[in-house]
């Protein structure tokens, strides 16, 4: 879906306690209002400046309005395998080895229902645009299954066609039963791009190319995937420098740091973004800044797997494009993007001092930072002509008591809460705290049944 007729339905949001635009000037508009026409923002200002007639009017008294949050890294199918006992106390490689055999039992229905469930959690915590990295395709699973779920949820979606081609017998980490032939991977990646990718402004689906990691695919697949992506003008995504073991594997197998390996295989540039980069060294940071390469920072997952503290402050100071990601539901084990922004602030301060990240900088990472990492110039901040993606949090919640004098800081320093409203592409997908696009209780019931079947059969 791209542009709509400018004469489309109008929605007026008014009397917000503050509208935080996250624009270049950092405007925060008290008693703010926005007029949406179709799938874009038409006007923004004080409520007394937008005294207009609209098809629907929503009173946001007591609410703070933000651009929709942008999630740059996820594995939504993992919502089926949260808190698995064998993986609760492991680092990255041990965690993966505990879960690979379970994921080998995934079915297409499991992909659809787990994606819907993961998206529900994102929608209810302020996310309007999300990437997803699906790299396991057993039993007939396809990326199409998650794209179908996103259409149902109403999420603006960046699905990436992941892959694993080097199994244990070839020196890789995953079991041989979960890897695919490289010719089949590239052929299906082309099919998905040609079937779903939309490069238009306000696009609801943009497909990316995403070999899983240096320890699960070959050099040839990394290189050919980059060339395929660039032939279609789509983004490139993978995991990089997530842990010390990840770095050691790269040095031993390839004779290079992860950043050097990425550069040699043409995996740097403004169309590429890498998840984690916890162990990215100074030379790697300089390379990413110089080349415009993006980073998806996933603080909760990095802490959960004891991967370390990503040098986000150093990245920002060097000019690296950084966004936030919740990472997989089995390594977080949550999909709460406003909580991820809070954790980003807290973790940077633990590692680098109290001035390492401010509340507004954390929100910038979660909004316009993420949009830039995903290559979007139509979402991430609020202004006329931008996509109509925005969320509203109710400041009258007990969690914010005593902090309403600075609503934006309250969102980050206080305990995370769900949104009251979430609007994507001009459509209300969360109204007064409830998802409007699908039956969440029924989805959760089916999700629980599938999760039990998956775990019981492993």
């Amino acid at each position: 879906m791209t542009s709509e007729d400018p004469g489309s339905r109008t929605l007026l949001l008014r009397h917000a306690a503050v509208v935080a635009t996250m624009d270049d000037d950092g405007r925060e508009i008290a008693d703010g209002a926005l007029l949406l026409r179709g799938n874009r923002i038409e006007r923004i200002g004080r409520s007394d400046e937008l005294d207009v007639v609209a098809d629907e009017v929503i009173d946001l008294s007591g609410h703070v309005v933000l651009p929709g949050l942008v999630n740059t890294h996820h594995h939504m199918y993992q919502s089926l395998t949260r808190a698995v006992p064998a993986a609760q106390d492991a680092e990255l490689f041990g965690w993966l080895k505990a879960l690979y055999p379970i994921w080998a039992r995934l079915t297409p229905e499991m992909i659809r229902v787990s994606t819907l469930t993961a998206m529900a959690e994102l929608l209810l915590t302020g996310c309007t645009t999300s990437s997803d990295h699906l790299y396991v395709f057993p039993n007939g699973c396809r990326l199409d299954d998650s794209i179908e779920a996103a259409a149902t949820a109403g999420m603006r979606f960046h699905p990436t066609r992941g892959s694993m081609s080097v199994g244990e017998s070839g020196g890789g980490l995953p079991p041989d039963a979960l890897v695919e032939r490289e010719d089949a991977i590239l052929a299906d990646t082309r099919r998905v791009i040609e079937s779903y990718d939309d490069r238009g402004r306000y696009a609801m689906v943009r497909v990316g190319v995403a070999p899983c990691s240096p320890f699960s695919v070959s050099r040839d697949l990394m290189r050919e995937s980059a060339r395929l992506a660039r032939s279609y003008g789509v983004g490139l995504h993978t995991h990089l420098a997530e842990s010390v073991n990840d770095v050691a594997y790269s040095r031993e197998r390839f004779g290079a740091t992860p950043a050097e390996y990425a550069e040699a295989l043409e995996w740097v540039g403004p169309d590429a973004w890498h998840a984690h980069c916890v162990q990215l060294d100074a030379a790697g940071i300089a390379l990413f800044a110089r080349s415009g390469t993006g980073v998806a920072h996933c603080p909760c997952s990095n802490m959960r797997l004891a991967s370390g503290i990503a040098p986000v402050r150093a990245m920002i100071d060097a000019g690296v494009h950084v966004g936030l990601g919740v990472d997989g539901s089995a390594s977080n084990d949550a999909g709460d993007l406003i909580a991820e922004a809070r954790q980003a602030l807290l973790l940077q301060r633990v590692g680098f001092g109290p001035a390492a990240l401010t509340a507004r900088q954390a929100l910038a990472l979660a909004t316009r930072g993420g949009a830039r990492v995903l290559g979007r110039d139509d979402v991430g901040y609020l202004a006329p002509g931008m996509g109509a993606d925005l969320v509203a949090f109710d400041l009258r919640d007990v969690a914010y008591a005593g902090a309403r004098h600075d609503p934006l800081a309250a969102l980050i320093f206080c305990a995370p809460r769900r949104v009251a409203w979430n609007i994507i592409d001009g459509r209300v997908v969360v109204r007064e705290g409830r998802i409007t696009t699908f039956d969440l209780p029924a989805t959760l019931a089916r999700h629980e049944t599938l999760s039990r079947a998956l775990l019981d059969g492993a």
Side-chain angles (χ1 to χ4, degrees):
M1 177 179 180
T2 53
S3 61
E4 291 184 359
D5 180 350
S8 295
R9 184 174 182 276
T10 53
L11 173 60
L12 178 63
L13 311 167
R14 63 184 181 184
H15 298 309
V18 63
V19 173
T21 64
M22 306 305 293
D23 64 10
D24 290 342
D25 297 324
R27 288 191 305 153
E28 298 174 13
I29 304 170
D31 190 23
L34 300 100
L35 178 65
L36 313 182
R37 184 178 297 276
N39 65 348
R40 67 198 71 179
I41 299 170
E42 184 169 279
R43 294 177 61 187
I44 184 169
R46 296 192 312 273
S47 294
D48 61 5
E49 297 173 330
L50 271 71
D51 185 16
V52 297
V53 174
D55 295 309
E56 181 180 1
V57 178
I58 297 173
D59 187 332
L60 291 180
S61 298
H63 292 68
V64 57
V65 174
L66 298 172
L69 310 184
V70 179
N71 179 38
T72 61
H73 186 62
H74 208 328
H75 306 292
M76 296 186 182
Y77 73 89
Q78 292 180 13
S79 66
L80 291 162
T81 55
R82 286 172 160 163
V84 172
Q88 287 178 12
D89 304 313
E91 52 74 45
L92 174 63
F93 282 16
W95 174 86
L96 284 168
K97 287 185 175 182
L99 292 170
Y100 281 143
I102 300 174
W103 297 337
R105 296 174 53 83
L106 287 165
T107 66
E109 184 191 9
M110 289 176 178
I111 297 296
R112 288 191 295 272
V113 174
S114 61
T115 301
L116 264 182
T117 301
M119 286 187 171
E121 189 172 11
L122 289 170
L123 293 173
L124 289 168
T125 58
C127 181
T128 56
T129 299
S130 183
S131 175
D132 187 44
H133 189 183
L134 179 59
Y135 57 84
V136 287
F137 297 93
N139 309 311
C141 295
R142 304 194 303 168
L143 193 61
D144 310 56
D145 302 318
S146 61
I147 295 172
E148 177 184 315
T152 299
M155 176 74 75
R156 200 179 297 276
F157 196 35
H158 281 237
T160 63
R161 206 301 183 178
S163 56
M164 297 193 296
S165 68
V166 179
E168 288 176 312
S169 64
L173 195 69
D176 290 347
L178 268 182
V179 303
E180 301 174 272
R181 295 192 333 269
E182 296 190 353
D183 60 342
I185 290 167
L186 294 170
D188 192 59
T189 303
R190 292 188 191 94
R191 179 192 66 81
V192 173
I193 293 171
E194 292 174 1
S195 298
Y196 297 104
D197 183 63
D198 183 355
R199 292 288 106 187
R201 190 166 176 81
Y202 315 117
M204 290 297 288
V205 179
R206 288 190 180 172
V207 176
V209 180
C212 184
S213 61
F215 51 80
S216 59
V217 300
S218 70
R219 291 180 178 88
D220 285 345
L221 184 60
M222 289 289 288
R223 188 178 291 108
E224 289 306 312
S225 293
R227 291 172 181 173
L228 185 154
R230 291 188 172 116
S231 73
Y232 285 99
V234 305
L236 301 81
H237 184 49
T238 193
H239 300 90
L240 198 77
E242 183 171 355
S243 69
V244 291
N245 286 339
D246 192 354
V247 175
Y249 181 94
S250 182
R251 286 188 178 278
E252 179 180 345
R253 190 166 179 85
F254 310 124
T257 67
E260 290 167 345
Y261 181 68
E263 182 179 29
L265 297 177
E266 305 168 24
W267 269 79
V268 295
D271 55 355
W273 81 103
H274 297 268
H276 304 299
C277 298
V278 176
Q279 304 297 333
L280 197 66
D281 59 15
I285 291 173
L287 169 65
F288 277 30
R290 187 168 65 248
S291 60
T293 306
V295 170
H297 175 44
C298 308
C300 287
S301 178
N302 298 159
M303 295 173 69
R304 205 272 211 189
L305 296 176
S307 299
I309 302 175
V312 170
R313 180 72 262 167
M315 293 179 191
I316 294 171
D317 290 344
V320 176
H321 302 155
V322 181
L324 296 182
V326 299
D327 199 13
S329 299
S331 69
N332 190 316
D333 292 25
D336 184 332
L337 200 52
I338 196 71
E340 208 72 34
R342 182 175 191 262
Q343 202 65 58
L345 177 143
L346 296 176
L347 189 56
Q348 287 303 293
R349 291 185 174 198
V350 167
F352 310 109
L357 204 64
T358 69
R360 283 165 174 77
Q361 287 170 339
L363 286 171
L365 294 179
T367 53
R368 59 186 300 153
R372 189 170 189 178
V373 165
L374 294 184
R376 305 288 307 220
D377 62 1
D378 51 359
V379 297
Y381 63 95
L382 303 177
M386 294 293 285
D389 289 10
L390 54 99
V391 296
F393 290 85
D394 191 342
L395 293 169
R396 296 165 295 190
D397 189 287
V398 64
Y400 306 125
R404 290 174 64 181
H405 51 271
D406 190 344
L408 294 192
L411 292 180
I412 297 298
F413 283 107
C414 300
R417 287 295 186 265
R418 289 183 172 185
V419 295
W421 298 84
N422 187 325
I423 298 170
I424 303 175
D425 207 47
R427 178 188 185 191
V428 178
V429 297
V430 175
R431 182 182 292 271
E432 297 181 328
R434 294 181 178 272
I435 289 177
T436 66
T437 49
F438 63 96
D439 186 338
L440 180 57
T443 299
L444 292 177
R446 185 58 182 159
H447 185 273
E448 179 63 17
T449 298
L450 293 172
S451 177
R452 288 184 179 275
L454 188 64
L455 295 172
D456 289 347

